[in-house]
Amino acid sequence: MFEADLSAPVVAAGLRTGNPREISERVAMGRALWRELFVGIAAQLAELRLGFTQLAALYVLADGGTTTVADLADLLGRSPSATSRIADSLVRRRLVERRPETDDRRQRSLWLTARGRAVLRTVDRARADQFLSAVRPMPSPERALVAMGVAALATHAISRRGRVIRGRTA
C-alpha cells in the first residue's frame, strides 16, 4: 500500500538500494539540489562577507572544545599561517575570540562567540528553508522517505570536530 503512494522513480530507486554504486548514482542525480544549496550558500556568504573556509572554521569551533590555530589548521587542511590569518579576520569581526589556555598561558585557544553562533544559526536556517522548499512540493509519502533518509544520515554520519565518523565495515 505504501509503495502505491510513491512515484515510479522513487519505487525504482528503492529496489536498487543494496548496491552502493546505485546509491552513488542517485546522489549524483541530485545535482540540481546540490547546485541550489551551493549557490544559495555562496550568495549568503557574500551577504555576510564570509568565505567558505571562514564558515568551515566557524563550524569547527561550534563544538566548543579547545581548539588552537594548529588544531584548526589540521582540521581545515590549511597551513598554520593561513589559518592564523583566517582566525585573525574572524576575531576582528567578533565571531571568534582567543583565550589563553589555563594549563599553558603561552597557548591560546579559539572560541566561537555568541555573534559567531548567531551567524551559524542564520546559515543553518537559510539552508533548512532552502531544503524544505525543495521537499514541500513532494507527495507526503515521499517527504516521509526524505525525513527518514535525513534521520539515517544524521545518525550514521555524525561530524565530530569537523570530521565525518565513518561506520565500521563488517
Side-chain angles (χ1 to χ4, degrees), residues 37-55 93 95 119 122-123 126-127:
L37 293 172
F38 193 80
V39 169
I41 200 164
Q44 187 176 26
L45 289 177
E47 266 179 41
L48 295 169
R49 294 179 298 117
L50 279 176
F52 284 99
T53 307
Q54 289 173 316
L55 180 64
R93 295 188 60 191
L95 300 173
V119 166
T122 300
V123 171
R127 293 301 66 72

Side-chain angles (χ1 to χ4, degrees), residues 15-167:
L15 298 174
R16 295 187 300 264
T17 58
N19 180 345
R21 187 162 175 59
E22 294 269 349
I23 294 170
S24 177
E25 289 171 7
R26 292 288 169 187
V27 170
M29 289 175 63
R31 183 173 184 253
L33 177 62
W34 296 124
R35 184 191 69 231
E36 289 305 311
L37 293 172
F38 193 80
V39 169
I41 200 164
Q44 187 176 26
L45 289 177
E47 266 179 41
L48 295 169
R49 294 179 298 117
L50 279 176
F52 284 99
T53 307
Q54 289 173 316
L55 180 64
L58 294 177
Y59 275 114
V60 168
L61 296 173
D63 74 2
T66 301
T67 306
T68 64
V69 169
D71 296 333
L72 186 59
D74 182 51
L75 291 168
L76 294 177
R78 302 280 191 243
S79 71
S81 62
T83 305
S84 184
R85 288 190 299 275
I86 290 166
D88 289 343
S89 71
L90 294 171
V91 167
R92 278 192 305 275
R93 295 188 60 191
R94 297 178 302 159
L95 300 173
V96 169
E97 65 181 46
R98 283 192 171 94
R99 296 181 189 164
E101 281 294 311
T102 53
D103 296 339
D104 182 355
R105 308 283 290 167
R106 294 171 297 167
Q107 282 279 27
R108 296 207 176 274
S109 292
L110 301 170
W111 293 85
L112 199 60
T113 63
R115 184 175 173 160
R117 284 188 297 280
V119 166
L120 288 181
R121 279 192 305 275
T122 300
V123 171
D124 289 344
R125 191 176 316 113
R127 293 301 66 72
D129 289 347
Q130 198 176 10
F131 186 80
L132 286 174
S133 72
V135 172
R136 262 190 207 102
M138 298 170 79
S140 182
E142 291 181 11
R143 282 196 312 268
L145 286 175
V146 171
M148 290 172 13
V150 169
L153 287 169
T155 300
H156 297 285
I158 299 169
S159 176
R160 180 182 338 128
R161 306 223 7 111
R163 296 193 175 150
V164 172
I165 299 171
R166 305 207 188 280

